[in-house]
Amino acid sequence: MALSDVKIRALKARDKLYKVPDDRGLYVEVSPKGAKLWRFRYFFHGKDKRIALGSYPAVGLADARKKRDDIQQAIAEGVDPILERKRAKLAAAFGAANTFGEIAEEYIEKMVAEGRAEATTVKANWLLEQLKPLAKMPVADIKPIEVLGALKKLSARGKYETARRCRSFASRVFRYAVATGRGEMDPTSVLRGALIAPRTKHHPALVEPEAVGELLRTIDAYSGNAITRLACQISPHVMLRPGELRQSSWSDIDRDKAVWTIPAECMKMRRPHAVPLSRQVLQYLEELYPLTGPEGFVFPAFHTSKRPMSENTVNQAFRRMGYAAGEVTAHGLRTTASSLLNESGKWSPDAIERSLAHADANAIRGIYNRGRYWEERVAMHQWWSDYLDELRVARSIVRAA
């Protein structure tokens, strides 16, 4: 017999939970504490299922019956109400994380899951910190003028490059928000040209042979930490970026085959990079091996072997040698190599670019070139080390010819 409000109110608690049916699968479940919960029993693809419809009296008899009828209609259309409810809860939880800060953190987590380099994700977190004024704002409500205000604060402190990078990072976050259904537009798209363009800064580098020779002699005479000295001695020969050098492990180096292979995750362009090792580099590695080998980082941090050498260690060594920040940097040694190798006229520009691990605009051509120029690069690296030795011992200018 169908229920009525009078009958439902009269239901009393018992020692055990019990059920009282209404009609067409709808029933009231009464708990030992007297709570009354509406439930609906149905079959979906042959499976016996039950779904909660709310508690009485918050959900009255008429409302419960209407919910039952709506669910029956959904079932007739092939929709499982329990699965649909789970999807709605997930969508609600997903949509609730709609502030710029929350979506930016989610985007960074996605970068980590995709295997992006640690340095890249650390930089992304740092950029998010710079955009703190936007962090708690719902992403769909942020207007271009509000983004511009946050960026202008950075520009006002002379941080033009930081402002530019923050605009680019914010753009990626907004586009991710649009793609995941929580944003409507990228408000940074109209801000191009609104910020002060940073001046291009080139890494300080020595390009005169006599000055390079003086630098090499100064490095040899360095009386500080031996591992730091060897990092300074090896850097000019291998043409690696400072981060690639200091994050390398002994497992990356095959001294028998004279090849130093940098894994893709440590490379700026996310592609593995092989460096031919000259006799001189192999000799430096022989000296370094007893200090830091046979496992772990080639250039570990001073205080722990579990971390690589600090990114400032080599540059600080140059400062202690008497070179100002505007004269010599670890990264600038790549410019030194590029300039003098091109000046020599002995080597193809493509081979030089391969050794510098610069990206080829043509991806197919780049893959082909990596193999094609290997033998030339082997010869070039040995010539380059020999030439550096000449500069080290010479007291007058030795041109790369």
Side-chain angles (χ1 to χ4, degrees), residues 203-204 215 222 228-229 231-232 235 241-243 245-246 302 309-333:
H203 295 283
L215 171 65
Y222 181 64
T228 302
R229 170 179 57 77
C232 293
S235 292
R241 296 178 179 88
L245 182 85
R246 65 187 186 83
F302 294 149
M309 175 183 285
S310 165
E311 61 183 339
N312 294 319
T313 299
V314 170
N315 285 336
Q316 288 172 351
F318 286 141
R319 302 296 85 81
R320 287 193 289 272
M321 293 177 201
Y323 287 96
E327 290 181 282
V328 178
T329 65
H331 201 289
L333 296 174

Side-chain angles (χ1 to χ4, degrees), residues 30-50:
V30 185
S31 75
K33 292 185 178 180
K36 299 164 186 176
L37 179 68
W38 289 110
R39 290 192 182 276
F40 173 54
R41 181 186 181 189
Y42 68 98
F43 289 87
F44 191 81
H45 293 323
K47 291 185 178 181
D48 187 359
K49 296 190 173 188
R50 290 165 177 76

Side-chain angles (χ1 to χ4, degrees), residues 76-134:
E77 295 173 357
V79 177
D80 183 349
I82 291 180
L83 182 58
E84 193 65 23
R85 181 175 289 183
K86 288 180 179 178
R87 286 173 177 166
K89 286 182 178 179
L90 286 173
F94 190 62
N98 64 357
T99 66
F100 179 85
E102 289 169 327
I103 294 176
E105 288 174 356
E106 187 180 309
Y107 175 73
I108 293 171
E109 289 174 3
K110 174 176 173 288
M111 293 170 64
V112 173
E114 291 173 342
R116 303 294 293 274
E118 181 182 357
T120 301
T121 55
V122 168
K123 187 70 172 180
N125 277 299
W126 182 80
L127 292 171
L128 175 57
E129 181 65 24
Q130 309 310 303
L131 293 166
K132 202 170 184 178
L134 304 177

Side-chain angles (χ1 to χ4, degrees), residues 257-323:
K257 295 182 179 179
V259 178
W260 188 336
T261 303
I262 312 299
E265 59 267 22
C266 296
M267 292 298 298
K268 180 179 180 180
M269 299 303 172
R270 320 304 299 155
R271 290 183 294 199
H273 176 60
V275 180
L277 299 180
S278 65
R279 292 187 300 274
Q280 289 86 337
V281 174
L282 289 171
Q283 289 173 359
Y284 288 132
L285 292 174
E286 285 297 320
E287 182 181 350
L288 182 61
Y289 189 81
L291 301 177
T292 67
E295 299 176 347
F297 292 107
V298 178
F299 300 102
F302 294 149
H303 57 285
T304 174
S305 61
K306 294 181 180 180
R307 297 181 62 184
M309 175 183 285
S310 165
E311 61 183 339
N312 294 319
T313 299
V314 170
N315 285 336
Q316 288 172 351
F318 286 141
R319 302 296 85 81
R320 287 193 289 272
M321 293 177 201
Y323 287 96

Side-chain angles (χ1 to χ4, degrees), residues 98-100 103 137-142 173-174 177 182-185 187:
N98 64 357
T99 66
F100 179 85
I103 294 176
M137 300 177 66
V139 71
D141 296 341
I142 298 176
V173 173
F174 283 120
R182 290 167 291 176
E184 298 178 357
M185 60 169 288

